[in-house]
Amino acid sequence: MVLKVSLIVVLLVICSCVVEAISRNLDHNLNQNGSSLAAIKFPDHPSFTAVSSSGDTDCSSLTSSEQLGHSGLTMTSGEETEEEGEAFPAPKPHKQLVKLHLKRRSGSEDAEPKESVVDSTLRDLSRIQNLHRRVTEKKNQNTISRLQKSQDQPNQSYKPVVAPAVSPASGVSGQLVATLESGVSLGSGEYFMDVFVGTPPKHFSLILDTGSDLNWIQCVPCNACFEQSGPYYDPKDSSSFRNISCHDPRCQLVSSPDPPRPCKGENQSCPYFYWYGDGSNTTGDFALETFTVNLTTPSGGSELKHVENVMFGCGHWNRGLFHGAAGLLGLGRGPLSFASQMQSLYGHSFSYCLVDRNSNASVSSKLIFGEDKELLSHPNLNFTSFAGGKEDSLDTFYYVQIKSVMVDGEVLKIPEETWHLSAEGAGGTIIDSGTTLTYFAEPAYEIIREAFVKKIKGYTLVEGLPPLKPCYNVTGIDKMELPDFGILFADGAVWNFPVDNYFIQIDPDIVCLAILGTPRSTLSIIGNYQQQNFHILYDMKKSRLGYAPMKCADV
């Protein structure tokens, strides 16, 4: 037992050193001008130099709205399912409720709680560094490596066109509600949604991420791919796959290789490169495909819906921490995200409700596209405005403006500038489904931690459990009495959390504050652990975030 404890302590110390090294490396990189993309050598792929041989690349086959950048999304009812054995009735647009399922990626069943927390924290911290690096590099890349391209080509103005919401009288309305697959391990901050891609539809499990935009799938030929469950997507097996030409205006929505490759052929496919700040990236062809989702109707039945002309990346070179999934479904604010593309069918809002980590594995979290009248009528629904203007096309993330935080009813005196987002992309606070715990930039974190230490009485402080602190021994205590915690936003909104959302039980005898710190220049993040059992609404039409306490297992 002594040896086992010693090994855990050694692991924690090593992890702390790794985190410190990551932070030092980030600080060094942020002091360098320019984009790291210029240093990446891309493979000699036909997409970059010649006409693609996969799928239909004829621009003349597109509708006029597609040629102007309109995503051209349409939705049709699916055929009967093998499970039901009968055709589904025609959808009722005005009353449709559809539930999509999310699952949380399960960590190792053999991992001890302490190791799971360390594992999760390391992934979180790496993600925070990467998200911040993406912001700063994205702010700079157009003025550096893309400058030559603008000098060599005629000046063309192009503004991405996002499909407007379809009115109930002219198209599909109502809601699309998905169930999210969820595990029970804290070691995972990722949620999965099952989707069916292509014609005929084939099953793939994709990670949902509110911190990115591009939807992409590992695609044949898979020249460099990570391991996934099931076969790779093959465009030759789908009659609905179509490449987007490099001359198509929609090609400007994705980042091309750096330096850019010339568009020589009329039907040459649009190459894309999407990066996540560290070594994680995906490279391939930008294309259109039909996505099929399994929906739950208001009566509890099941129905397939086909969403046509979804823009996505057919990834031939993919690397990063995506193992097990087939790709990623972006829910960010940009025009490429699945959430943005679904606006033409379900309006400008989506929401999710994440069950708590101790829920039975059979209980699913929900993802909802469209207006949820039940949520909007909830007596405890609160809103805070998104920070940053809509005109900022570089803004993938959902920023909120924090004024301060409250511990046990006391508004803490945290320097106001701690919460500000600079013009260079430093600082600011985002709400993110892909980060597990909550992270506040210094000095906010230290002030919050000290406030908890000061106000918690009657429990023995436990040392030696980095990176979490403070931690307390609660042996023999049935009901813990811990200080209240809430976030005060600049517009006056308040978000109060139940204790299970900001204290985490490491083992039956120890609880720790589930909030950590980051360097002052990086992002603050409200993670999914703090969001559990809240119905979270992203209302882009009114540029606001909604949150209502909810038993998510009942949604």
Side-chain angles (χ1 to χ4, degrees):
M1 184 63 180
V2 173
L3 177 60
K4 187 174 183 180
V5 172
S6 300
L7 288 175
I8 292 175
V9 171
V10 170
L11 173 63
L12 292 171
V13 171
I14 291 174
C15 290
S16 298
C17 295
V18 172
V19 172
E20 183 179 353
I22 292 174
S23 180
R24 286 199 303 266
N25 185 56
L26 172 70
D27 293 338
H28 172 75
N29 289 336
L30 292 180
N31 289 328
Q32 305 298 316
N33 291 325
S35 169
S36 64
L37 300 181
I40 298 177
K41 179 177 175 60
F42 282 86
D44 187 18
H45 182 241
S47 297
F48 305 145
T49 55
V51 177
S52 173
S53 61
S54 63
D56 181 8
T57 60
D58 188 357
C59 291
S60 64
S61 66
L62 303 179
T63 64
S64 59
S65 63
E66 287 171 336
Q67 293 171 349
L68 293 173
H70 191 295
S71 65
L73 287 184
T74 58
M75 178 170 276
T76 58
S77 297
E79 302 295 332
E80 64 182 55
T81 64
E82 295 178 359
E83 296 177 353
E84 295 286 330
E86 59 182 1
F88 292 107
K92 299 178 180 179
H94 298 285
K95 298 180 181 180
Q96 189 85 30
L97 267 180
V98 187
K99 297 191 176 181
L100 304 175
H101 297 239
L102 284 187
K103 306 181 227 180
R104 179 182 288 162
R105 174 184 288 178
S106 297
S108 171
E109 296 180 357
D110 299 328
E112 292 196 0
K114 295 185 186 67
E115 296 177 37
S116 294
V117 171
V118 172
D119 226 17
S120 176
T121 302
L122 282 175
R123 280 198 296 270
D124 282 351
L125 289 172
S126 178
R127 177 178 175 85
I128 292 169
Q129 311 284 6
N130 298 336
L131 292 179
H132 175 73
R133 185 177 172 187
R134 281 172 54 196
V135 171
T136 55
E137 289 186 350
K138 209 168 186 179
K139 293 280 186 182
N140 292 328
Q141 72 182 50
N142 285 341
T143 59
I144 301 174
S145 58
R146 313 271 174 192
L147 185 60
Q148 184 62 41
K149 179 181 179 181
S150 62
Q151 293 173 343
D152 295 342
Q153 296 183 357
N155 186 23
Q156 298 179 346
S157 62
Y158 174 75
K159 185 175 182 180
V161 178
V162 179
V166 179
S167 65
S170 61
V172 177
S173 181
Q175 289 183 347
L176 175 72
V177 184
T179 305
L180 313 183
E181 183 180 346
S182 177
V184 296
S185 170
L186 176 66
S188 168
E190 296 166 338
Y191 287 82
F192 291 76
M193 188 176 85
D194 291 329
V195 297
F196 295 82
V197 180
T199 306
K202 294 187 177 181
H203 169 260
F204 299 94
S205 186
L206 305 182
I207 297 171
L208 264 75
D209 185 12
T210 58
S212 62
D213 294 325
L214 181 69
N215 314 299
W216 59 271
I217 303 175
Q218 297 204 107
C219 193
V220 174
C222 237
N223 300 314
C225 291
F226 50 81
E227 184 179 352
Q228 73 175 56
S229 299
Y232 300 129
Y233 165 81
D234 190 342
K236 293 181 180 179
D237 292 339
S238 173
S239 61
S240 52
F241 174 86
R242 285 187 293 163
N243 265 320
I244 292 175
S245 164
C246 58
H247 288 292
D248 191 306
R250 286 171 295 190
C251 190
Q252 298 182 40
L253 294 174
V254 292
S255 296
S256 62
D258 198 348
R261 299 298 195 269
C263 184
K264 297 180 179 179
E266 178 65 26
N267 295 331
Q268 179 182 327
S269 64
C270 172
Y272 78 88
F273 172 65
Y274 198 91
W275 49 288
Y276 294 88
D278 59 352
S280 302
N281 57 65
T282 174
T283 305
D285 298 316
F286 194 39
L288 300 172
E289 186 54 285
T290 295
F291 280 48
T292 302
V293 290
N294 189 17
L295 311 176
T296 302
T297 62
S299 61
S302 181
E303 184 172 346
L304 295 180
K305 290 287 185 180
H306 303 308
V307 184
E308 300 174 350
N309 299 320
V310 175
M311 294 180 287
F312 83 111
C314 183
H316 302 298
W317 293 269
N318 316 288
R319 62 178 180 176
L321 303 176
F322 310 111
H323 300 285
L328 189 142
L329 205 67
L331 291 179
R333 298 183 72 169
L336 288 179
S337 79
F338 194 71
S340 295
Q341 294 191 58
M342 293 300 288
Q343 287 180 7
S344 63
L345 298 172
Y346 291 105
H348 294 69
S349 67
F350 72 93
S351 63
Y352 55 71
C353 201
L354 306 178
V355 299
D356 67 83
R357 60 181 291 263
N358 295 318
S359 296
N360 187 288
S362 63
V363 178
S364 298
S365 301
K366 308 298 189 300
L367 171 67
I368 302 170
F369 290 100
E371 185 177 274
D372 188 332
K373 293 181 180 179
E374 184 178 348
L375 173 59
L376 292 175
S377 63
H378 194 288
N380 295 317
L381 175 63
N382 290 287
F383 292 98
T384 186
S385 301
F386 285 126
K390 295 180 180 179
E391 68 279 358
D392 187 357
S393 61
L394 299 180
D395 192 0
T396 294
F397 309 119
Y398 297 97
Y399 285 96
V400 290
Q401 185 59 61
I402 294 179
K403 181 178 181 180
S404 190
V405 299
M406 299 177 294
V407 175
D408 212 24
E410 177 188 351
V411 178
L412 303 184
K413 295 180 180 179
I414 299 172
E416 188 176 337
E417 60 271 16
T418 305
W419 308 110
H420 287 173
L421 173 64
S422 72
E424 294 75 28
T429 304
I430 67 172
I431 181 166
D432 183 32
S433 67
T435 304
T436 307
L437 303 183
T438 285
Y439 295 79
F440 290 128
E442 299 291 356
Y445 166 66
E446 280 301 324
I447 295 173
I448 294 168
R449 185 186 65 81
E450 290 173 3
F452 274 104
V453 172
K454 179 181 177 181
K455 292 179 179 293
I456 294 176
K457 307 295 183 183
Y459 303 108
T460 303
L461 194 64
V462 178
E463 301 292 345
L465 288 172
L468 298 180
K469 57 183 180 180
C471 296
Y472 295 92
N473 189 318
V474 292
T475 303
I477 299 174
D478 295 329
K479 186 177 181 180
M480 294 176 290
E481 294 182 2
L482 296 167
D484 297 330
F485 175 74
I487 295 175
L488 176 62
F489 294 102
D491 57 9
V494 177
W495 192 350
N496 292 312
F497 299 90
V499 68
D500 288 343
N501 286 40
Y502 56 92
F503 267 88
I504 184 169
Q505 195 141 11
I506 300 299
D507 61 34
D509 298 325
I510 299 176
V511 296
C512 298
L513 182 65
I515 297 172
L516 287 169
T518 62
R520 186 174 193 141
S521 62
T522 55
L523 291 163
S524 292
I525 293 185
I526 302 173
N528 64 49
Y529 189 80
Q530 276 60 48
Q531 299 174 45
Q532 63 184 352
N533 278 330
F534 277 93
H535 199 154
I536 311 295
L537 169 64
Y538 296 76
D539 184 347
M540 301 315 300
K541 185 175 183 179
K542 297 184 178 180
S543 191
R544 61 183 183 173
L545 175 78
Y547 46 93
M550 192 86 69
K551 188 176 180 181
C552 291
D554 296 337
V555 174

